[in-house]
Amino acid sequence: MRRCFARPAACTTLQAFGYGRSTATDLGRINRQSSRLPTPHSPLPQTMPRIRDLLHSGQPGQTITVQGWVRTKRETKGITFLEVNDGSSMVGLQVVLNTDMTHYDTVVKALTTGSSVEIGGDLVESPGKGQRVELQGQTLTVFGIADGETYPLQKKRHSFEFLRSLGHLRARTNTLGAVFRVRNACAQAIHQFFQERGFLWMHTPIITASDCEGAGAMFAVTGLDLTQVPRTAEGQVDYSQDFFGKPAYLTVSGQLEAEIMAMAFKDVYTFGPTFRAENSNTSRHLAEFWMVEPEMAFCDLVGNMDLAEDFLKYIFSSVLNACPEDMEFFNQRIDDSVLATADNIINNTFERIAYTEAVKLLEKADKSFEFPVQWGIDLQSEHERYLAEELFKKPVIVTDYPTGIKAFYMRLNDGGETVAAMDVLAPKVGEIIGGSQREERLDVLERRIQEAGLPIGDYWWYLDLRRFGTVPHAGFGLGFERLVQFMTGMGNIRDVIPFPRTPDSIEF
RNA sequence: UCCUCGGUAGCUCAGUGGUAGAGCGGUCGGCUGUUAACCGAUUGGUCGUAGGUUCGAAUCCUACCCGGGGAGCCA
C-alpha cells in the first residue's frame, strides 16, 4: 500500500481533509462523470442509512451514501465489486465501481480489505445473483486504507484463539459481529422483559464493604500503596488507613442489595458487572462478567420458577425476532442445534422436579455416570445434562436441594433437610439459572448464618429486613455471557464478551 | 489449581533423527458482473524459549513460557 502512495498519480489526489472533529485523509472523491461535482455530505451519522435497512427495504432508484469498512474486493478487468459492512448486519452491501470513474486506477485499486470508505451513488436492482439491490458507486471517499500486507484479518476463516489476540479488530469479523449484535439484542430483551412487568432496574454497588457475600474469591480494592503497606502493631495490614477505613472488594453478587430494594419496590432486578477472583481457566468462566438478578417480594419458589421460565422464553423469542440472520448463521456455521434449542425453550413447558425425585431417576437411569449419584451430593454436569437432554429432552427445573449443599439465605423447608432452591437445567449447557426463595424468618436466618460459620455482625442490615416488615421473597441469578453462549452456540465464553478478563489475561 | 493435547510462513496445518512443505493470504500480471470470484507467477521461516543427547534435532530428553480441551469452583 505504501507503494501505491508513492505513485505520483495517487499523490495528486492526496490531501489533508477536515472531517467533523476528526481528521481523515481524502484519497479522492471520484466522479463517474467528470462534469458532476462532488457533493459534500452532512457528517451527521443519523443522516446515513444503515446497510441493514438498505438491504431490507432500500428501493432501486434511491440516491444514497453509505459508510463502512470494506470486507472484500473482487476485481475484474472492467469492474470492481466491494462488499461494504457497517456492522448493522451480517451481510454487507455490494458496491459496483466502474473503470470510467476518475482515479479508478489509483484509488479503487488501492482499496483493500479493512479500508474505511464512504460511497455515494444510486441503489439499483442487482443483475447478479446473491443480492436484491446493490450500490452503483459514483463518489468514493477513502478515510483510511488497511495495509494488505499487515492487516491481520483475511477473507478466510480464522480460529477463535487467533481472533482473541486481535481484540481490537475481531468485532469486524462475521462471527464476532453476529455475537455482539445478539448480545445487544439479548440485553435489550432483558430490560424489556422486566420493564414490561413493572420491575425496577437497580444499580447495586460494584465495590462492596465486606466479604459477607460469600460466593467465591473476591478481588481486593485498595487505595494503599502496595509497596509500603501500613501495618498494625500485630503486623496485620492496617485497613483503617485504607480508602474506606476497612477492607473492600469488587462485588460477586448484587443479590443481598437487591433484596433490600425488593423490600421497597416489590419487584426489582440488577443487571451489571460482577467479579470473581477464582483461578478458573475454563470455557465457561470469566473474572469479569455481567449478571442478571431479579428479586421479588411477596413471591415464593413457584412464582420464581414461573418467572424464570417466562424469562427464558421471552429472551429467546425476542432475539430470534431481532436477529434472524445472525441466529441462522450460528445454526449453519457454529452449532447446528442452535435453532432447535431455541425452539425447544420457547415451545415446551419446563419440567419441574424435586431434587429427591431427580436423584431417584438418576439412580434408575440405564447409564453409567463418572460420578455416582447419591442423595446429598450436588448434581454433576453429566447428571444435569442427562436429565435435560436424554430423560426429558427439554428444560428441567430441579427444586428443593439438600440444605448442606446450598447457601445460607435459601429458605429452609419443613423438616430442615432441604431448602427452597431451584436450578434451571437446559439441554446442551446444564445449569443456566440458579435461584431460591429466601429465608424470611428472622430466627431461622440467624441460626443458618451461625451454622454456616459466618460473622453474624456483618449481616445486621440483612437481618433488619426480617425484623421490619419481612415478607416471603424469591429471586434468581443468571450469568449473562452464559446465556449468550447458550443462544449462539459459541463454545468459549471469551468469545461472547468484547474484552474478556481471565487469569493472566487482561489485554485491550 | 489438577489432568490432557498442542506451539513449524501473516493464517490453517503437514512434516517422528539426514537439504523446512502445502493450502489460504499478501504482491504482480491476466480476465466485461463478481459472490470466500477465477487463472498464472511470485513472496514468505531463529520450527515457543533455554539447556541437553547425537556426526547430525522441527523430530529425542529436561526445565520454563504461552494456548486449546476437560475437571474442580461456580454464573
Side-chain angles (χ1 to χ4, degrees), chain A residues 244-314:
Chain A
F244 296 106
K246 60 166 78 168
Y249 307 91
L250 293 181
T251 185
V252 293
S253 164
Q255 181 200 314
L256 302 190
E257 287 95 348
E259 284 189 51
I260 293 177
M261 303 314 271
M263 294 300 117
F265 301 101
K266 286 184 77 174
D267 297 331
V268 302
Y269 66 106
T270 72
F271 186 3
T274 311
F275 309 87
R276 300 281 166 89
E278 223 93 63
N279 189 13
S280 295
N281 234 312
T282 82
S283 57
R284 298 166 58 74
H285 287 87
L286 292 165
E288 177 183 288
F289 62 100
W290 287 62
M291 191 150 66
V292 180
E293 295 172 291
E295 192 70 34
M296 296 167 287
F298 304 98
C299 182
D300 62 10
L301 192 65
V302 174
N304 206 17
M305 287 190 277
D306 291 345
L307 185 83
E309 183 167 347
D310 287 351
F311 174 84
L312 286 178
K313 291 180 191 300
Y314 185 100

Side-chain angles (χ1 to χ4, degrees), chain A residues 20 59 128 175 182 201 210 215 225 227 247 259 266 301 305 333 336 391-392 412 448:
Chain A
Q59 291 305 313
T175 304
V182 165
W201 181 23
S210 73
D225 178 356
T227 63
E259 284 189 51
K266 286 184 77 174
L301 192 65
M305 287 190 277
R333 304 289 284 271
D336 63 9
L391 196 57
F392 295 110
L412 205 61
R448 295 272 285 138

